[in-house]
Amino acid sequence: MSDEKPQRAGGSRYLYEPFEYARADTVQANERVQDERWRALEYRLGQIEQTLERVERRVWFTIFGVTAAVLSETVTGLLGGAGL
């Protein structure tokens, strides 16, 4: 889009100016909508990050729990097999 003003063929200036300002209002309205969408996106991404952290923590607890169970079974098996 060019920044040139439309050529006036005659008539009142009030026939042209509302359209010139309407474009600026539309741009500002679109910017406000985009800002709101961006804030909503950031909010949702924050929620996703929190959920991923909780899942990661649960996975590590599960891994440590399984490892502890395997080690305790191994130690119990070795001590039971040695006759102690």
Side-chain angles (χ1 to χ4, degrees), residues 2-84:
S2 65
D3 291 333
E4 297 176 356
K5 292 185 178 183
Q7 294 292 326
R8 296 183 183 176
S12 173
R13 67 182 175 104
Y14 297 109
L15 293 175
Y16 297 99
E17 287 186 10
F19 295 106
E20 293 172 6
Y21 292 118
R23 279 188 271 143
D25 290 340
T26 303
V27 170
Q28 289 175 353
N30 284 335
E31 288 175 352
R32 288 193 304 268
V33 168
Q34 288 301 98
D35 288 342
E36 187 62 33
R37 286 181 177 172
W38 188 257
R39 281 193 295 272
L41 179 64
E42 287 177 340
Y43 174 76
R44 295 293 295 169
L45 286 175
Q47 286 183 330
I48 291 170
E49 286 179 4
Q50 288 176 354
T51 303
L52 285 175
E53 288 174 3
R54 286 194 304 259
V55 168
E56 183 181 10
R57 188 173 36 232
R58 288 179 184 172
V59 167
W60 281 113
F61 283 143
T62 303
I63 290 171
F64 290 142
V66 169
T67 304
V70 169
L71 286 176
S72 67
E73 288 295 320
T74 303
V75 169
T76 303
L78 289 175
L79 291 178
L84 295 174

